[in-house]
Amino acid sequence: MSLEPRDLPIGVFDSGLGGLTVVRAIREVLPGEDILYLGDSARVPYGTRSAGTVIRYARNCAGFLTDQGLKLLVVACNTVSAVALPALSKELLVPVLGVIAAGARSAAAATKIGRVGVIGTAGTVGSGAYVREIAAARPGCEVHQQAAPLLVPLAEEGWLDGELPFLAARRYLEPLVSKGVDVLLLGCTHYPILNRPIWRALHSLGSDAAMVDSATAMATEVRETLETSSLLADRERGRLTCFVTDRPASFHEVASRFLGEPVGDVEPVDIS
Ligand code: DGL
């Protein structure tokens, strides 16, 4: 019996486990969808690598997932979305969505004064992708960026509150707050789970900027895309299947932190 296109899974990939924050948002909005998640945990982080290397890794990830049969591919990694989305969209037969456009649109909609701050990896910030996308969504909007690399290992270590993440966030946010941004876009898969220290840091600097992240906006865009093409799954609860390219000892703990619930079985795969 052949599957209807709407019964096929959504593929989601990230450089590691942080993309499970996007899976969590998609499952909240679309609980009936089957999802195949791939975390390239053997090669994380992508955020410090050159664009050429990130594009090569992204092709491996996308190729592995599309070989399983998908109706939609979601690039959960901001760094990949920033530098590899045009190549993937051109080469693949399934529709491909990246987190940059979704996050940029929600930041552009949220700012009242047209001044947005963005934090992300060095790769994302260096690509200028958020600056371009926010300007496209809201011409004339000022965008100030700051790479915040230390927040990634803090999130992975589970240091989600307390002095260390607070002080790191405060240091990164200072230049953005001094520009008077009224919206802070969390432009990295790992940052949504650090929203408490980030919020505290903003307030300690005297800012009441609103925080937006790409995960929630991405989930809304996935629903709209599937609705428009009549591809919404017709089942109550979908299955989440996780693949990783390496399984670190702390895998279950870290993955569950990002997903917000225990992750089931994971299958180690070789995609290179
Ligand atoms: N997934 C990456 C991102 O959203 C963060 C971790 C990494 O550097 O690979 O940009």
Side-chain angles (χ1 to χ4, degrees):
M1 194 183 73
S2 70
L3 283 177
E4 293 285 322
R6 66 159 188 246
D7 296 328
L8 290 171
I10 301 169
V12 181
F13 79 88
D14 179 39
S15 54
L17 302 177
L20 288 168
T21 54
V22 176
V23 170
R24 176 183 189 163
I26 296 174
R27 275 159 64 88
E28 269 163 28
V29 174
L30 297 168
E33 297 295 336
D34 280 349
I35 296 178
L36 301 184
Y37 180 81
L38 170 66
D40 192 5
S41 39
R43 300 190 291 197
V44 68
Y46 284 10
T48 50
R49 301 187 197 279
S50 69
T53 299
V54 173
I55 293 172
R56 183 159 53 85
Y57 289 176
R59 283 190 174 118
N60 296 151
C61 294
F64 171 81
L65 285 173
T66 50
D67 282 353
Q68 323 289 315
L70 302 176
K71 60 182 173 187
L72 179 69
L73 178 65
V74 175
V75 179
C77 180
N78 288 257
T79 310
V80 173
S81 303
V83 301
L85 207 66
L88 295 181
S89 305
K90 208 166 95 191
E91 293 161 16
L92 299 174
L93 295 174
V94 284
V96 186
L97 300 179
V99 281
I100 300 277
R105 273 199 296 276
S106 53
T111 178
K112 293 193 175 74
I113 57 170
R115 210 172 298 148
V116 171
V118 179
I119 49 173
T121 66
T124 299
V125 166
S127 75
Y130 271 122
V131 178
R132 286 192 297 278
E133 288 290 340
I134 294 171
R138 181 157 169 176
C141 185
E142 254 180 60
V143 182
H144 299 279
Q145 304 190 94
Q146 177 67 47
L150 274 182
L151 299 184
V152 169
L154 284 170
E156 283 179 0
E157 275 300 304
W159 287 6
L160 307 183
D161 222 336
E163 279 312 279
L164 260 164
F166 166 74
L167 289 173
R170 196 182 144 97
R171 177 84 179 260
Y172 289 135
L173 295 177
E174 227 162 1
L176 300 179
V177 169
S178 73
K179 298 286 183 195
V181 301
D182 72 338
V183 166
L184 176 70
L185 173 57
L186 310 183
C188 174
T189 47
H190 288 54
Y191 301 166
I193 65 166
L194 290 168
N195 60 359
R196 282 221 323 245
I198 293 173
W199 184 86
R200 276 178 57 218
L202 276 177
H203 279 250
S204 76
L205 292 163
S207 167
D208 59 358
M211 297 198 302
V212 296
D213 67 62
S214 315
T216 316
M218 185 77 262
T220 309
E221 193 179 332
V222 169
R223 190 191 57 213
E224 286 165 2
T225 305
L226 294 180
E227 250 166 22
T228 309
S229 37
S230 305
L231 283 175
L232 281 173
D234 185 18
R235 61 174 93 77
E236 243 168 58
R237 191 77 193 152
R239 268 198 5 222
L240 169 64
T241 309
C242 289
F243 302 97
V244 286
T245 52
D246 186 31
R247 193 192 331 223
S250 57
F251 171 83
H252 272 98
E253 194 196 323
V254 178
S256 307
R257 195 177 298 139
F258 286 117
L259 187 62
E261 61 183 287
V263 262
D265 285 344
V266 288
E267 199 181 315
V269 289
D270 184 357
I271 60 166
S272 55

Short mmCIF file of all heavy atoms in Angstrom, two decimals, residues 66-118:
data_model
loop_
_atom_site.label_atom_id
_atom_site.label_comp_id
_atom_site.label_asym_id
_atom_site.label_seq_id
_atom_site.Cartn_x
_atom_site.Cartn_y
_atom_site.Cartn_z
N THR A 66 16.06 13.15 2.91
CA THR A 66 15.18 13.05 1.72
C THR A 66 15.17 11.61 1.18
O THR A 66 14.18 11.18 0.61
CB THR A 66 15.58 14.06 0.62
OG1 THR A 66 16.98 13.96 0.37
CG2 THR A 66 15.25 15.49 1.02
N ASP A 67 16.24 10.87 1.40
CA ASP A 67 16.25 9.46 0.98
C ASP A 67 15.19 8.64 1.71
O ASP A 67 14.79 7.57 1.25
CB ASP A 67 17.63 8.82 1.26
CG ASP A 67 18.65 9.23 0.21
OD1 ASP A 67 18.26 9.88 -0.78
OD2 ASP A 67 19.86 8.93 0.41
N GLN A 68 14.75 9.10 2.88
CA GLN A 68 13.73 8.35 3.64
C GLN A 68 12.32 8.63 3.10
O GLN A 68 11.37 7.94 3.47
CB GLN A 68 13.70 8.73 5.13
CG GLN A 68 15.04 9.02 5.79
CD GLN A 68 15.87 7.78 5.97
OE1 GLN A 68 15.37 6.75 6.41
NE2 GLN A 68 17.14 7.86 5.61
N GLY A 69 12.16 9.69 2.27
CA GLY A 69 10.84 10.07 1.76
C GLY A 69 10.19 11.09 2.69
O GLY A 69 9.83 10.76 3.81
N LEU A 70 10.08 12.32 2.22
CA LEU A 70 9.56 13.43 3.04
C LEU A 70 8.52 14.21 2.25
O LEU A 70 8.54 14.22 1.03
CB LEU A 70 10.67 14.43 3.37
CG LEU A 70 11.93 13.99 4.09
CD1 LEU A 70 12.89 15.17 4.18
CD2 LEU A 70 11.59 13.46 5.48
N LYS A 71 7.68 14.96 3.00
CA LYS A 71 6.81 15.92 2.29
C LYS A 71 7.33 17.35 2.43
O LYS A 71 6.93 18.23 1.68
CB LYS A 71 5.37 15.84 2.79
CG LYS A 71 5.16 16.13 4.26
CD LYS A 71 3.70 15.96 4.61
CE LYS A 71 3.48 16.08 6.12
NZ LYS A 71 2.12 15.76 6.52
N LEU A 72 8.24 17.55 3.39
CA LEU A 72 8.77 18.89 3.65
C LEU A 72 10.06 18.74 4.43
O LEU A 72 10.16 17.88 5.30
CB LEU A 72 7.74 19.67 4.50
CG LEU A 72 8.07 21.09 4.92
CD1 LEU A 72 8.07 22.02 3.70
CD2 LEU A 72 7.04 21.60 5.93
N LEU A 73 11.03 19.60 4.11
CA LEU A 73 12.29 19.58 4.88
C LEU A 73 12.44 20.91 5.62
O LEU A 73 12.34 21.98 5.00
CB LEU A 73 13.48 19.37 3.94
CG LEU A 73 14.87 19.37 4.61
CD1 LEU A 73 15.02 18.19 5.57
CD2 LEU A 73 15.98 19.34 3.57
N VAL A 74 12.67 20.83 6.92
CA VAL A 74 12.86 22.03 7.74
C VAL A 74 14.31 22.09 8.20
O VAL A 74 14.80 21.16 8.84
CB VAL A 74 11.93 21.99 8.98
CG1 VAL A 74 12.21 23.18 9.90
CG2 VAL A 74 10.46 22.01 8.55
N VAL A 75 14.98 23.17 7.85
CA VAL A 75 16.36 23.37 8.30
C VAL A 75 16.28 24.12 9.63
O VAL A 75 16.03 25.32 9.68
CB VAL A 75 17.17 24.17 7.26
CG1 VAL A 75 18.59 24.37 7.76
CG2 VAL A 75 17.16 23.45 5.92
N ALA A 76 16.46 23.39 10.74
CA ALA A 76 16.29 23.99 12.07
C ALA A 76 17.50 24.80 12.48
O ALA A 76 17.41 25.64 13.37
CB ALA A 76 16.03 22.89 13.10
N CYS A 77 18.64 24.55 11.84
CA CYS A 77 19.88 25.23 12.22
C CYS A 77 19.94 26.63 11.59
O CYS A 77 19.83 26.76 10.36
CB CYS A 77 21.07 24.38 11.73
SG CYS A 77 22.66 25.08 12.14
N ASN A 78 20.13 27.63 12.42
CA ASN A 78 20.23 29.00 11.90
C ASN A 78 21.44 29.17 11.00
O ASN A 78 21.37 29.83 9.97
CB ASN A 78 20.33 30.00 13.07
CG ASN A 78 19.03 30.15 13.82
OD1 ASN A 78 18.33 31.13 13.66
ND2 ASN A 78 18.68 29.17 14.64
N THR A 79 22.56 28.57 11.40
CA THR A 79 23.79 28.71 10.62
C THR A 79 23.61 28.12 9.22
O THR A 79 23.98 28.73 8.21
CB THR A 79 24.96 28.03 11.35
OG1 THR A 79 24.98 28.48 12.71
CG2 THR A 79 26.28 28.35 10.70
N VAL A 80 23.01 26.92 9.13
CA VAL A 80 22.77 26.30 7.82
C VAL A 80 21.76 27.13 7.03
O VAL A 80 21.95 27.39 5.83
CB VAL A 80 22.24 24.85 7.97
CG1 VAL A 80 21.82 24.28 6.63
CG2 VAL A 80 23.30 23.95 8.60
N SER A 81 20.70 27.58 7.71
CA SER A 81 19.68 28.38 7.01
C SER A 81 20.31 29.66 6.45
O SER A 81 19.92 30.15 5.40
CB SER A 81 18.54 28.76 7.95
OG SER A 81 17.95 27.61 8.50
N ALA A 82 21.29 30.20 7.19
CA ALA A 82 21.91 31.47 6.77
C ALA A 82 22.79 31.30 5.54
O ALA A 82 22.85 32.19 4.70
CB ALA A 82 22.73 32.04 7.92
N VAL A 83 23.47 30.14 5.42
CA VAL A 83 24.45 30.06 4.32
C VAL A 83 24.14 29.00 3.27
O VAL A 83 24.68 29.06 2.17
CB VAL A 83 25.89 29.81 4.86
CG1 VAL A 83 26.32 30.92 5.80
CG2 VAL A 83 26.04 28.46 5.52
N ALA A 84 23.28 28.02 3.57
CA ALA A 84 23.12 26.89 2.64
C ALA A 84 21.71 26.77 2.05
O ALA A 84 21.48 25.88 1.22
CB ALA A 84 23.50 25.58 3.36
N LEU A 85 20.79 27.61 2.46
CA LEU A 85 19.40 27.42 2.01
C LEU A 85 19.24 27.55 0.49
O LEU A 85 18.55 26.71 -0.11
CB LEU A 85 18.45 28.38 2.74
CG LEU A 85 17.04 27.84 2.85
CD1 LEU A 85 16.98 26.62 3.73
CD2 LEU A 85 16.10 28.91 3.39
N PRO A 86 19.86 28.54 -0.17
CA PRO A 86 19.70 28.64 -1.63
C PRO A 86 20.17 27.36 -2.33
O PRO A 86 19.49 26.85 -3.24
CB PRO A 86 20.56 29.85 -2.02
CG PRO A 86 20.65 30.66 -0.76
CD PRO A 86 20.62 29.67 0.38
N ALA A 87 21.32 26.82 -1.89
CA ALA A 87 21.84 25.59 -2.53
C ALA A 87 20.87 24.43 -2.32
O ALA A 87 20.52 23.72 -3.27
CB ALA A 87 23.21 25.24 -1.95
N LEU A 88 20.37 24.25 -1.10
CA LEU A 88 19.46 23.12 -0.81
C LEU A 88 18.15 23.27 -1.58
O LEU A 88 17.65 22.32 -2.17
CB LEU A 88 19.16 23.02 0.69
CG LEU A 88 20.34 22.68 1.61
CD1 LEU A 88 19.87 22.59 3.06
CD2 LEU A 88 21.01 21.38 1.20
N SER A 89 17.59 24.49 -1.60
CA SER A 89 16.31 24.70 -2.27
C SER A 89 16.44 24.41 -3.76
O SER A 89 15.51 23.91 -4.39
CB SER A 89 15.82 26.14 -2.10
OG SER A 89 15.77 26.46 -0.75
N LYS A 90 17.60 24.73 -4.33
CA LYS A 90 17.80 24.52 -5.77
C LYS A 90 17.97 23.03 -6.08
O LYS A 90 17.47 22.52 -7.08
CB LYS A 90 19.06 25.27 -6.21
CG LYS A 90 19.02 25.70 -7.66
CD LYS A 90 20.08 26.71 -7.96
CE LYS A 90 21.30 25.99 -8.52
NZ LYS A 90 22.48 26.84 -8.61
N GLU A 91 18.64 22.31 -5.18
CA GLU A 91 19.02 20.93 -5.49
C GLU A 91 17.96 19.90 -5.11
O GLU A 91 17.96 18.80 -5.67
CB GLU A 91 20.32 20.59 -4.74
CG GLU A 91 21.51 21.38 -5.26
CD GLU A 91 22.69 21.42 -4.28
OE1 GLU A 91 22.72 20.60 -3.34
OE2 GLU A 91 23.57 22.27 -4.47
N LEU A 92 17.09 20.22 -4.15
CA LEU A 92 16.17 19.19 -3.64
C LEU A 92 14.80 19.26 -4.31
O LEU A 92 14.36 20.33 -4.74
CB LEU A 92 16.01 19.34 -2.12
CG LEU A 92 17.30 19.18 -1.31
CD1 LEU A 92 17.06 19.48 0.15
CD2 LEU A 92 17.87 17.77 -1.47
N LEU A 93 14.12 18.11 -4.33
CA LEU A 93 12.79 18.07 -4.96
C LEU A 93 11.69 18.41 -3.96
O LEU A 93 10.61 18.80 -4.35
CB LEU A 93 12.54 16.68 -5.57
CG LEU A 93 13.49 16.33 -6.72
CD1 LEU A 93 13.28 14.90 -7.19
CD2 LEU A 93 13.30 17.31 -7.89
N VAL A 94 11.96 18.25 -2.66
CA VAL A 94 10.93 18.60 -1.66
C VAL A 94 11.05 20.09 -1.30
O VAL A 94 12.14 20.65 -1.39
CB VAL A 94 11.07 17.81 -0.33
CG1 VAL A 94 10.59 16.41 -0.46
CG2 VAL A 94 12.46 17.91 0.24
N PRO A 95 9.95 20.72 -0.86
CA PRO A 95 10.06 22.10 -0.39
C PRO A 95 10.96 22.19 0.85
O PRO A 95 10.94 21.29 1.69
CB PRO A 95 8.62 22.49 -0.02
CG PRO A 95 7.75 21.35 -0.42
CD PRO A 95 8.60 20.17 -0.78
N VAL A 96 11.75 23.25 0.92
CA VAL A 96 12.69 23.42 2.03
C VAL A 96 12.40 24.74 2.74
O VAL A 96 12.31 25.79 2.09
CB VAL A 96 14.15 23.47 1.52
CG1 VAL A 96 15.13 23.50 2.69
CG2 VAL A 96 14.47 22.30 0.60
N LEU A 97 12.24 24.69 4.06
CA LEU A 97 12.03 25.92 4.84
C LEU A 97 13.19 26.10 5.80
O LEU A 97 13.65 25.14 6.40
CB LEU A 97 10.74 25.83 5.66
CG LEU A 97 9.42 25.63 4.92
CD1 LEU A 97 8.27 25.55 5.92
CD2 LEU A 97 9.17 26.78 3.93
N GLY A 98 13.64 27.35 5.94
CA GLY A 98 14.73 27.63 6.89
C GLY A 98 14.24 28.56 7.98
O GLY A 98 13.24 29.28 7.79
N VAL A 99 14.95 28.56 9.10
CA VAL A 99 14.48 29.33 10.25
C VAL A 99 14.73 30.84 10.14
O VAL A 99 14.10 31.62 10.85
CB VAL A 99 15.10 28.82 11.58
CG1 VAL A 99 14.41 27.59 12.06
CG2 VAL A 99 16.59 28.61 11.46
N ILE A 100 15.64 31.26 9.24
CA ILE A 100 15.98 32.69 9.20
C ILE A 100 14.78 33.54 8.76
O ILE A 100 14.45 34.53 9.41
CB ILE A 100 17.16 32.93 8.23
CG1 ILE A 100 18.39 32.15 8.68
CG2 ILE A 100 17.45 34.44 8.09
CD1 ILE A 100 19.24 32.76 9.74
N ALA A 101 14.13 33.14 7.66
CA ALA A 101 13.02 33.95 7.15
C ALA A 101 11.90 34.03 8.18
O ALA A 101 11.33 35.11 8.42
CB ALA A 101 12.51 33.37 5.83
N ALA A 102 11.61 32.91 8.83
CA ALA A 102 10.53 32.88 9.82
C ALA A 102 10.85 33.80 11.00
O ALA A 102 10.02 34.61 11.42
CB ALA A 102 10.31 31.44 10.31
N GLY A 103 12.06 33.68 11.53
CA GLY A 103 12.46 34.52 12.66
C GLY A 103 12.49 35.99 12.29
O GLY A 103 12.07 36.86 13.06
N ALA A 104 12.99 36.27 11.08
CA ALA A 104 13.08 37.67 10.63
C ALA A 104 11.70 38.29 10.53
O ALA A 104 11.49 39.44 10.94
CB ALA A 104 13.78 37.73 9.27
N ARG A 105 10.75 37.52 10.00
CA ARG A 105 9.39 38.08 9.86
C ARG A 105 8.78 38.38 11.23
O ARG A 105 8.15 39.41 11.42
CB ARG A 105 8.48 37.10 9.09
CG ARG A 105 8.58 37.31 7.58
CD ARG A 105 7.40 36.69 6.88
NE ARG A 105 7.37 35.25 7.04
CZ ARG A 105 8.05 34.41 6.28
NH1 ARG A 105 8.80 34.87 5.30
NH2 ARG A 105 7.99 33.12 6.47
N SER A 106 8.99 37.48 12.21
CA SER A 106 8.36 37.77 13.51
C SER A 106 9.05 38.93 14.21
O SER A 106 8.40 39.72 14.88
CB SER A 106 8.22 36.54 14.40
OG SER A 106 9.42 35.91 14.54
N ALA A 107 10.38 39.08 14.04
CA ALA A 107 11.06 40.23 14.64
C ALA A 107 10.58 41.53 13.99
O ALA A 107 10.30 42.52 14.66
CB ALA A 107 12.57 40.09 14.47
N ALA A 108 10.46 41.51 12.66
CA ALA A 108 10.02 42.71 11.93
C ALA A 108 8.61 43.11 12.35
O ALA A 108 8.30 44.30 12.45
CB ALA A 108 10.08 42.45 10.42
N ALA A 109 7.78 42.10 12.62
CA ALA A 109 6.40 42.41 13.02
C ALA A 109 6.35 42.91 14.46
O ALA A 109 5.48 43.70 14.82
CB ALA A 109 5.53 41.16 12.87
N ALA A 110 7.29 42.45 15.30
CA ALA A 110 7.21 42.77 16.74
C ALA A 110 7.78 44.14 17.08
O ALA A 110 7.38 44.74 18.08
CB ALA A 110 7.95 41.70 17.54
N THR A 111 8.72 44.66 16.27
CA THR A 111 9.34 45.93 16.66
C THR A 111 8.39 47.12 16.42
O THR A 111 7.81 47.25 15.35
CB THR A 111 10.70 46.17 15.94
OG1 THR A 111 11.21 47.43 16.35
CG2 THR A 111 10.58 46.12 14.42
N LYS A 112 8.28 47.94 17.45
CA LYS A 112 7.39 49.11 17.32
C LYS A 112 8.17 50.29 16.76
O LYS A 112 7.62 51.14 16.08
CB LYS A 112 6.83 49.49 18.69
CG LYS A 112 5.89 48.42 19.26
CD LYS A 112 5.13 48.99 20.45
CE LYS A 112 4.09 48.01 20.97
NZ LYS A 112 4.67 46.89 21.71
N ILE A 113 9.48 50.33 17.05
CA ILE A 113 10.27 51.50 16.66
C ILE A 113 11.20 51.20 15.48
O ILE A 113 11.98 52.05 15.06
CB ILE A 113 11.13 52.01 17.85
CG1 ILE A 113 12.05 50.88 18.37
CG2 ILE A 113 10.23 52.51 18.97
CD1 ILE A 113 13.08 51.35 19.37
N GLY A 114 11.13 49.96 14.93
CA GLY A 114 11.97 49.63 13.78
C GLY A 114 13.43 49.48 14.14
O GLY A 114 14.30 49.89 13.38
N ARG A 115 13.71 48.86 15.29
CA ARG A 115 15.11 48.65 15.70
C ARG A 115 15.21 47.29 16.39
O ARG A 115 14.69 47.12 17.50
CB ARG A 115 15.55 49.77 16.64
CG ARG A 115 17.02 50.07 16.55
CD ARG A 115 17.41 51.30 17.33
NE ARG A 115 16.78 52.51 16.86
CZ ARG A 115 16.45 53.55 17.64
NH1 ARG A 115 16.69 53.51 18.92
NH2 ARG A 115 15.86 54.62 17.13
N VAL A 116 15.88 46.35 15.71
CA VAL A 116 15.92 44.96 16.18
C VAL A 116 17.35 44.56 16.52
O VAL A 116 18.28 44.91 15.79
CB VAL A 116 15.37 44.02 15.07
CG1 VAL A 116 15.60 42.55 15.41
CG2 VAL A 116 13.88 44.27 14.83
N GLY A 117 17.53 43.81 17.60
CA GLY A 117 18.82 43.22 17.93
C GLY A 117 18.77 41.73 17.64
O GLY A 117 17.75 41.08 17.87
N VAL A 118 19.87 41.19 17.11
CA VAL A 118 19.93 39.76 16.78
C VAL A 118 21.15 39.15 17.45
O VAL A 118 22.25 39.70 17.34
CB VAL A 118 20.05 39.53 15.25
CG1 VAL A 118 20.14 38.04 14.93
CG2 VAL A 118 18.91 40.17 14.49
#
